[in-house]
Amino acid sequence: MNIDFITPEDLKLFKSELIAELKEVLQPQQPFAKTWLKSAEVRKILSISPGTLQNLRINGTLNYRKVGGTMYYKSDDINRMLGENPTEGGAV
């Protein structure tokens, strides 16, 4: 019968390894991996209505590109908008 003892040094090593792994897993990631987002995605992220999104386009708050009949928005612009006022639109 083999008996292993856990020493305080073993626990300290385990703690430091666990903390390092948790930091790696919980690192803030880029919220949106895609470069361009469609209107429906933006509305969902910002928790806004189609009319509010249209107002953001009209007043120049949110830049967009229209390809065919679809509006596209840069994810960087969305992130910037969320960073300026995170409580607006109920996001984050």
Side-chain angles (χ1 to χ4, degrees), residues 39-59:
S39 294
E41 295 168 314
V42 173
R43 289 195 324 265
K44 185 175 179 182
I45 291 166
L46 298 177
S47 300
I48 58 175
S49 69
T52 301
L53 184 58
Q54 181 178 3
N55 286 336
L56 293 174
R57 282 194 314 263
I58 290 170
N59 67 23

Side-chain angles (χ1 to χ4, degrees), residues 6-58:
I6 299 176
T7 65
E9 289 77 25
D10 292 334
L11 290 174
K12 286 180 184 178
L13 179 62
F14 174 73
K15 175 185 168 187
S16 63
E17 290 174 354
L18 180 62
I19 289 173
E21 286 184 33
L22 285 173
K23 283 182 180 178
E24 185 178 323
V25 169
L26 298 176
Q27 257 183 349
Q29 301 294 321
Q30 178 72 11
F32 315 111
K34 294 167 61 174
T35 303
W36 293 94
L37 302 169
K38 291 183 178 181
S39 294
E41 295 168 314
V42 173
R43 289 195 324 265
K44 185 175 179 182
I45 291 166
L46 298 177
S47 300
I48 58 175
S49 69
T52 301
L53 184 58
Q54 181 178 3
N55 286 336
L56 293 174
R57 282 194 314 263
I58 290 170

